[in-house]
Amino acid sequence: MWLGGRSWLPVLGQVCSRLRCLAFARTWGACRGPMAERLSTGAEAASGLGAPAQQNGDAGGDARGEQPPGHPEPAGSEEEAVSGDAKQPSGNGERAPAAAPGPGKRKKRRGAVGERIVPPPKKRRAGVSFGDEHFAETSYYFEGGLRKVRPYYFDFRTYCKGRWVGHSLLHVFGTEFRAQPLAYYEAAVRAGRLHLNEEPVQDLSIVLKDNDFLRNTVHRHEPPVTAEPIRLLAENEDVVVVDKPSSIPVHPCGRFRHNTVIFILGKEHQLKELHPLHRLDRLTSGVLMFAKTAAVSERIHEQVRDRQLEKEYVCRVAGEFPAEEVTCKEPILVVSYKVGVCRVDPQGKACESVFQRLSYNGHSSVVRCRPLTGRTHQIRVHLQFLGHPILNDPIYNSAAWGPSRGRGGHIPKTDEELLRDLVAEHQARQSLDVLDLCGGDLCPGPPDSTAPSSELSKDCLEEMAASAQKMDGAVEAVPQDLDGVPMASGKATRTDVVNQETDPLCSECRRVPQDPSPQDLVMFLHALRYKGPDFEYHSPMPAWARDDWQEH
């Protein structure tokens, strides 16, 4: 009898399980309709605040938030994300039915009562292009052998960085953008200059969320560059080749936007939507190639990857360079992406350069350089290692490297000490622009924790970034009358200011910067020739490389 009772236990378990499933199905059928309606309503509420429309062209930060360190960085990565106006809900008071989600997509949850809804980010279109609306932001004028840009209003735009989530705007400005005092940002709020998801910020204590879109209108000043024109070396249906003067960046980066090759070609030569095929440092002159289409760009970049391109540079170095051909294969390590400084190090990336002396005048030598790889500052770092730095190289022929100036890789100080001394030297010379140490109010702050171990510490980088705002002379303190800046009424924008060359909140408007001389903007490194399987382009030999050149 006991055995028979025991045999019924599995049957009873199955019956109980089926009864529970039946009860659950009835309960779910009764509440599924209201629950689905609530989920649908939440999705509509979220989608009613559309994210700002994005177009390629203009960049204050990475469209999705995190931006890799450096770059001074990243060449060719200096892209600026532009956003349009936020979409508004329909004004008839009726709610449009929500679209049914696609397969595998989850419906959005409605936020809690009083919770701030963050619009989802819009996808960005690939590529970088600048059009007439960007070129019309301001104009050039020429003075003392320099090309200058009239000050103008500009929107720095960025999505909330991951490290900002959960922190207030006050905290972010106070810790990452210390170039301006908090009083400036409070005045910018009153003037209607700060927007969060295209709505004016009313209080800096607002806490940031993932996907928040921030726009900051600033009064922008650009450093001057040489007034030497950009000469066209060649143009056909595939490429544009120019002779780039020293001191002009290839594309917008840091404080430079209109004073760049891309903008000058667009504004003065009507050459638009060009694709840079290689990079030249801002202080390097010579052959610079652009593709007119993405297809041509990809084809030539593939030739670069396959080592089918020959590059030849010429430079003037300190001392008597050996008469025989010299090959340097020392690996190069980036000391700091933010400052843009490299050195020879066994842990660096493999590279190779071949050098041949062309002439010697008793003090300096003209040397032909053939870089067989394309590392950052490769020619400059290898020449420094060989004990013959470029004669007027503001970084690698600096006393900050120690008595031997980095010869043989001997640097008697830590990376942090080296960077500190480089910054101090250029502060004393009022030439911090050489280090490209600069940033706008919404430019990326300190590098992320994923930066290379050789990167400067966070506090040191912040200190240098703040110091960079004082370049070319001390910046006056923000005036005490910032508290008197009136509140913006309605949709006040930068167009409310009649004369955009001066601005009551701008510290740079209240000082007279010391202009560099045109000679100070030239470094003796020139891209002489670029050759591929089906093309070859030359630029003239610069004056400082000629046999009759005299040092001053």
Side-chain angles (χ1 to χ4, degrees):
M1 184 71 180
W2 177 78
L3 289 173
R6 185 176 181 182
S7 65
W8 281 93
L9 289 176
V11 177
L12 288 173
Q14 292 178 5
V15 171
C16 292
S17 177
R18 291 180 178 177
L19 288 174
R20 284 195 297 270
C21 291
L22 181 60
F24 175 78
R26 290 176 177 174
T27 304
W28 173 248
C31 66
R32 182 174 57 182
M35 182 179 296
E37 183 179 351
R38 287 194 296 271
L39 287 171
S40 176
T41 303
E44 292 169 4
S47 63
L49 292 172
Q54 302 240 344
Q55 66 184 44
N56 45 346
D58 198 291
D62 185 66
R64 190 60 186 82
E66 293 301 328
Q67 181 169 346
H71 350 274
E73 242 236 140
S77 62
E78 309 290 346
E79 175 184 349
E80 299 193 305
V82 177
S83 168
D85 294 331
K87 296 180 181 178
Q88 299 296 330
S90 57
N92 57 8
E94 297 180 6
R95 186 182 300 276
K105 293 186 178 179
R106 295 169 53 189
K107 296 182 179 179
K108 293 187 178 294
R109 177 182 62 86
R110 180 205 289 268
V113 176
E115 182 180 354
R116 185 167 60 84
I117 301 297
V118 178
K122 289 280 187 178
K123 291 183 179 180
R124 298 174 63 191
R125 292 186 297 173
V128 183
S129 64
F130 297 96
D132 292 335
E133 69 274 20
H134 305 114
F135 300 145
E137 291 166 345
T138 184
S139 59
Y140 301 115
Y141 66 102
F142 297 87
E143 183 178 66
L146 301 174
R147 176 191 292 267
K148 297 185 176 182
V149 174
R150 300 186 190 280
Y152 59 100
Y153 286 95
F154 180 76
D155 287 341
F156 279 106
R157 307 164 188 264
T158 183
Y159 277 101
C160 179
K161 314 296 182 187
R163 62 181 178 270
W164 301 349
V165 174
H167 294 287
S168 68
L169 273 175
L170 187 68
H171 171 84
V172 171
F173 285 132
T175 57
E176 297 212 22
F177 303 107
R178 293 160 50 180
Q180 299 282 5
L182 289 177
Y184 166 83
Y185 298 108
E186 292 167 350
V189 168
R190 290 193 296 273
R193 303 262 180 104
L194 283 172
H195 288 75
L196 188 65
N197 302 321
E198 296 304 335
E199 293 293 332
V201 172
Q202 304 294 336
D203 189 348
L204 288 176
S205 64
I206 189 168
V207 175
L208 295 173
K209 295 184 176 184
D210 191 24
N211 291 335
D212 268 337
F213 182 74
L214 193 60
R215 174 164 64 88
N216 183 24
T217 301
V218 300
H219 194 237
R220 191 163 178 174
H221 294 244
E222 295 192 25
V225 298
T226 179
E228 184 180 344
I230 298 176
R231 296 193 309 108
L232 291 179
L233 298 177
E235 181 183 1
N236 55 41
E237 60 185 10
D238 291 334
V239 299
V240 172
V241 186
V242 303
D243 189 359
K244 182 185 96 65
S246 182
S247 81
I248 306 179
V250 176
H251 47 65
C253 57
R255 298 180 71 197
F256 295 92
R257 178 172 168 83
H258 289 264
N259 261 348
T260 61
V261 176
I262 286 285
F263 267 68
I264 294 172
L265 289 179
K267 295 171 72 146
E268 296 184 351
H269 298 271
Q270 289 70 52
L271 293 169
K272 306 170 185 177
E273 300 189 11
L274 299 176
H275 304 256
L277 293 174
H278 60 97
R279 65 163 300 191
L280 290 179
D281 292 336
R282 183 168 67 86
L283 296 178
T284 303
S285 58
V287 176
L288 181 61
M289 298 175 58
F290 296 91
K292 288 188 173 182
T293 66
V296 173
S297 175
E298 177 55 31
R299 173 167 57 83
I300 297 182
H301 277 121
E302 187 173 347
Q303 296 173 358
V304 173
R305 291 190 292 268
D306 294 340
R307 304 282 182 91
Q308 298 182 43
L309 258 63
E310 296 179 17
K311 298 174 287 184
E312 183 178 327
Y313 291 72
V314 65
C315 63
R316 183 173 285 277
V317 304
E320 183 178 4
F321 198 85
E324 67 275 7
E325 185 177 88
V326 176
T327 298
C328 185
K329 297 183 179 181
E330 297 296 328
I332 292 179
L333 178 73
V334 177
V335 175
S336 170
Y337 288 96
K338 191 174 187 74
V339 182
V341 177
C342 305
R343 61 175 170 81
V344 165
D345 189 277
Q347 302 301 316
K349 293 183 178 181
C351 48
E352 182 176 358
S353 307
V354 180
F355 302 100
Q356 178 65 61
R357 191 181 82 187
L358 300 179
S359 65
Y360 174 59
N361 67 359
H363 176 68
S364 59
S365 305
V366 176
V367 176
R368 182 177 62 207
C369 318
R370 289 192 296 114
L372 304 184
T373 50
R375 308 301 180 197
T376 301
H377 295 179
Q378 176 175 322
I379 292 174
R380 299 164 67 184
V381 174
H382 275 174
L383 286 169
Q384 179 198 47
F385 180 86
L386 295 172
H388 299 279
I390 293 174
L391 190 61
N392 61 349
D393 192 321
I395 296 179
Y396 298 102
N397 196 12
S398 164
W401 294 86
S404 62
R405 303 207 174 195
R407 179 171 189 165
H410 179 63
I411 307 170
K413 57 184 66 176
T414 65
D415 289 345
E416 286 78 6
E417 291 170 339
L418 170 63
L419 293 171
R420 179 199 63 202
D421 293 346
L422 277 171
V423 170
E425 178 179 320
H426 285 284
Q427 278 180 321
R429 295 180 181 177
Q430 299 183 1
S431 59
L432 270 174
D433 274 334
V434 166
L435 299 178
D436 292 326
L437 251 188
C438 46
D441 296 64
L442 283 180
C443 290
D448 300 331
S449 59
T450 56
S453 58
S454 61
E455 189 68 67
L456 270 177
S457 67
K458 179 175 184 291
D459 290 340
C460 184
L461 283 171
E462 289 178 342
E463 179 180 351
M464 292 197 310
S467 299
Q469 297 296 324
K470 301 180 178 64
M471 63 184 67
D472 297 329
V475 176
E476 297 180 11
V478 177
Q480 299 299 316
D481 60 355
L482 277 182
D483 291 334
V485 174
M487 292 287 293
S489 58
K491 293 187 176 180
T493 65
R494 58 193 175 195
T495 56
D496 296 334
V497 182
V498 176
N499 178 14
Q500 72 166 1
E501 291 192 37
T502 59
D503 179 80
L505 299 186
C506 179
S507 59
E508 291 196 65
C509 286
R510 294 185 298 278
R511 66 182 179 90
V512 180
Q514 178 180 347
D515 285 338
S517 69
Q519 293 74 25
D520 293 337
L521 298 178
V522 176
M523 184 175 69
F524 299 156
L525 178 61
H526 182 79
L528 192 64
R529 180 177 68 97
Y530 268 67
K531 180 181 180 181
D534 54 357
F535 64 84
E536 182 173 1
Y537 300 107
H538 295 262
S539 65
M541 189 74 79
W544 49 260
R546 297 172 186 159
D547 293 339
D548 58 351
W549 181 79
Q550 296 294 321
E551 299 181 28
H552 301 288

